[in-house]
Amino acid sequence: MSNNDYILNLLNIKDSNINIFNNIEERVIKNRNYKIIEGALTYIPEYCPCCGIVNESHNDIIKWGFKRNCKIKIPKISNCYSLLILHKQRFYCKNCNNTFIAETNLVDKYKNISNNTELQISLELMQKQSEKDIATRLDVSVSKIDRKLNEISSHTVLRHSTLPISMNWDEFKATKDTNGKMAFIITNNDKGNIFDINDSRKSRDLEKYFKRYSKKERDKVKHISMDFYSGYIFLAKKLFKNANISIDRFHIVIQAYNALNTTRVKLCYKSNPHYNKLKDYWKLIVKNEKDLSNEKKYSRHFKKEISQKEIVQFLINTNSTLKATYECYQGLINSLKENNFNKFYNIVFYQNNIISDKMKQVLILYKENIKYIENSFKYDINNGIIEGTNNLIKCLKRIAFGYRKYDHFIARIFLIKGIIKG
């Protein structure tokens, strides 16, 4: 293998018509160190692209000098920015008296960014990082990354012929150019990935979206998991007659969790002698009582060694409403943990006037949706996939400092989740 072939192989250049010169130099351009590689592109053309005449002899097409200094950005070499200065052969056609320039698969016509760099941009967009960081790393402009996202987002509209048998529904805060403030996300529970994203969660928009599928197709859906949003429940009952609707367990727990925490916060006023204890030990109050430790450790608030269980017992005994709310909360979360619906049902429908008003509101919400909560006990389905996806979306927005264009935002989500390829 010649030196030229070795260099082409190292640069991942597949065009054997490029001859690399031996002198590779280093140069500072705009305060950046570059490795400058120089080469020439030449070959015998098969035909003239202007008139189409086949090149059979020197009387048809002849070489006509070089187009010099075509600066092509290529991927980094040993973490150094790199430029390929390519001298492209110019040809003259005697038949039509036109000239044309040699072409290569290294870079598209009229571009100065190599196809390998274009591919690397797509691969970088599949990672959780900002567009500015990608542009800096690859030595391209942010506008170039933006144009690449424009190109990708032009074909990110997903068109599925069938609906998932088991679906999860949720929403996330979208961009300002959407139809609604919240975008609607559907995940396929069987495949564990995003099925589709709609730019609005309004009932009329979702009904229009789902009615693209025939009634026969909608009747195949067996299960839908969601939160307590009444709009979703109404829509699911209307369009999916055979689907079992269940409330995700996380949303069941978080309602009771917030009720207990709100009750505790209301007791955190400065005149309360236990203010500091209620404030500092809030995590123990909302923790499952079965996970509390009996090991005694010194507490600066109690000024003695005391266990977690003793701390919680002391705090809830300072207020009857807090104690009743705490016991209700513990019963609810443990019934979910034990998958005991009868226990959950009895707690919800038990007349308890001592619990806080916030917990009473939560129990009313449970009563109204008890049928769908029961399904969450019956079926092994949850919104874990969709909640994880929402966390990824929030992370992406935070890293990118927000998005202005909805299409770009959705394209990044689909790229990172591997649903589309750049």
Side-chain angles (χ1 to χ4, degrees):
M1 187 183 286
S2 66
N3 284 340
N4 184 72
D5 292 335
Y6 274 122
I7 295 171
L8 290 177
N9 189 35
L10 286 171
L11 297 177
N12 198 26
I13 296 174
K14 306 299 182 183
D15 193 341
S16 58
N17 295 319
I18 295 175
N19 295 308
I20 303 297
F21 302 157
N22 290 328
N23 55 326
I24 297 176
E25 60 176 305
E26 291 189 6
R27 196 182 301 170
V28 177
I29 303 173
K30 294 182 180 180
N31 298 322
R32 289 179 176 176
N33 292 322
Y34 281 82
K35 285 194 180 293
I36 307 297
I37 301 149
E38 200 167 353
L41 171 66
T42 183
Y43 55 84
I44 299 172
E46 295 180 357
Y47 64 93
C48 171
C50 302
C51 65
I53 189 172
V54 177
N55 184 25
E56 295 180 346
S57 67
H58 290 295
N59 293 324
D60 298 319
I61 299 172
I62 60 173
K63 294 180 179 179
W64 200 254
F66 284 89
K67 180 185 178 182
R68 299 183 179 276
N69 296 337
C70 297
K71 296 178 181 178
I72 301 170
K73 290 181 180 179
I74 58 175
K76 285 183 177 181
I77 300 172
S78 298
N79 209 32
C80 290
Y81 295 110
S82 307
L83 272 179
L84 174 62
I85 298 177
L86 191 62
H87 305 289
K88 293 182 179 180
Q89 182 76 62
R90 192 188 296 273
F91 300 103
Y92 175 75
C93 177
K94 293 183 179 180
N95 183 61
C96 63
N97 297 323
N98 284 321
T99 60
F100 59 94
I101 297 170
E103 295 182 11
T104 173
N105 58 14
L106 173 66
V107 63
D108 292 340
K109 198 173 183 180
Y110 308 122
K111 289 187 178 181
N112 69 337
I113 297 176
S114 70
N115 291 330
N116 285 342
T117 305
E118 294 268 1
L119 176 61
Q120 197 167 353
I121 291 172
S122 298
L123 293 174
E124 294 283 347
L125 284 170
M126 297 172 75
Q127 306 300 320
K128 289 180 282 186
Q129 55 188 325
S130 70
E131 293 175 31
K132 188 175 180 180
D133 289 340
I134 297 171
T136 303
R137 189 176 296 110
L138 300 184
D139 190 31
V140 296
S141 66
V142 178
S143 298
K144 171 60 187 175
I145 308 296
D146 201 52
R147 289 195 298 273
K148 187 67 177 177
L149 269 177
N150 272 333
E151 179 187 328
I152 295 169
S153 62
S154 64
H155 58 267
T156 55
V157 178
L158 302 180
R159 288 285 180 261
H160 300 283
S161 57
T162 59
L163 284 165
I165 301 298
S166 178
M167 290 190 286
N168 309 92
W169 292 358
D170 206 354
E171 68 282 328
F172 63 90
K173 192 172 182 181
T175 54
K176 291 182 179 179
D177 62 339
T178 55
N179 291 331
K181 291 182 180 179
M182 307 294 285
F184 180 73
I185 180 170
I186 310 165
T187 57
N188 186 330
N189 193 60
D190 296 326
K191 293 186 177 179
N193 209 340
I194 297 173
F195 174 76
D196 204 356
I197 296 175
N198 194 51
D199 64 351
S200 172
R201 72 162 187 170
K202 294 176 181 177
S203 295
R204 63 175 181 272
D205 295 327
L206 293 180
E207 186 171 348
K208 183 179 178 182
Y209 171 84
F210 283 117
K211 280 191 172 178
R212 293 186 305 179
Y213 299 94
S214 65
K215 184 179 181 301
K216 183 180 178 181
E217 184 60 36
R218 283 185 272 121
D219 287 344
K220 292 179 182 178
V221 177
K222 300 299 181 186
H223 208 111
I224 304 172
S225 178
M226 61 186 73
D227 55 25
F228 284 99
Y229 181 50
S230 58
Y232 293 164
I233 296 172
F234 176 79
L235 187 71
K237 288 167 65 178
K238 182 179 179 181
L239 298 180
F240 301 93
K241 301 296 183 181
N242 297 330
N244 292 304
I245 302 166
S246 67
I247 305 297
D248 176 52
R249 291 191 174 204
F250 168 78
H251 291 93
I252 298 171
V253 171
I254 202 66
Q255 294 289 333
Y257 172 96
N258 289 336
L260 175 61
N261 209 29
T262 302
T263 307
R264 177 196 63 84
V265 169
K266 285 185 177 180
L267 296 173
C268 290
Y269 46 84
K270 290 291 179 76
S271 59
N272 188 336
H274 307 294
Y275 166 76
N276 288 328
K277 297 183 184 73
L278 286 166
K279 185 178 178 182
D280 286 3
Y281 293 117
W282 69 271
K283 286 185 179 179
L284 296 181
I285 294 174
V286 296
K287 193 174 183 179
N288 191 321
E289 61 184 355
K290 293 181 179 179
D291 297 331
L292 293 172
S293 173
N294 285 314
E295 182 184 355
K296 291 189 176 184
K297 292 183 179 179
Y298 181 79
S299 167
R300 63 187 178 90
H301 291 299
F302 290 91
K303 307 214 181 288
K304 65 176 183 179
E305 289 190 345
I306 189 170
S307 68
Q308 290 181 349
K309 283 188 177 180
E310 289 171 336
I311 291 171
V312 172
Q313 282 302 315
F314 174 85
L315 291 175
I316 63 174
N317 284 327
T318 60
N319 185 276
S320 59
T321 302
L322 178 63
K323 183 176 182 179
T325 306
Y326 175 82
E327 289 172 350
C328 179
Y329 167 77
Q330 291 295 334
L332 290 169
I333 64 171
N334 281 305
S335 63
L336 282 161
K337 191 173 184 179
E338 297 160 8
N339 203 37
N340 188 337
F341 177 70
N342 290 330
K343 182 179 178 181
F344 183 92
Y345 184 91
N346 291 333
I347 294 170
V348 170
F349 285 89
Y350 176 72
Q351 190 68 28
N352 191 340
N353 295 321
I354 309 175
I355 61 174
S356 65
D357 292 338
K358 186 69 177 176
M359 185 60 84
K360 287 176 183 176
Q361 292 174 10
V362 171
L363 295 183
I364 290 170
L365 180 67
Y366 289 167
K367 288 174 186 176
E368 292 172 350
N369 297 280
I370 195 67
K371 177 183 175 182
Y372 314 119
I373 293 174
E374 184 181 5
N375 285 336
S376 69
F377 283 84
K378 285 182 180 179
Y379 304 103
D380 185 21
I381 182 173
N382 59 67
N383 274 21
I385 298 164
I386 207 165
E387 293 298 335
T389 303
N390 280 350
N391 284 336
L392 181 146
I393 291 168
K394 290 174 186 175
C395 178
L396 178 61
K397 284 181 76 174
R398 186 170 61 253
I399 291 169
F401 298 96
Y403 271 86
R404 290 182 181 178
K405 295 182 180 179
Y406 173 78
D407 290 344
H408 286 193
F409 187 33
I410 299 305
R412 283 301 303 276
I413 295 168
F414 286 163
L415 281 167
I416 291 171
K417 292 295 287 183
I419 297 170
I420 61 169
K421 295 181 180 180

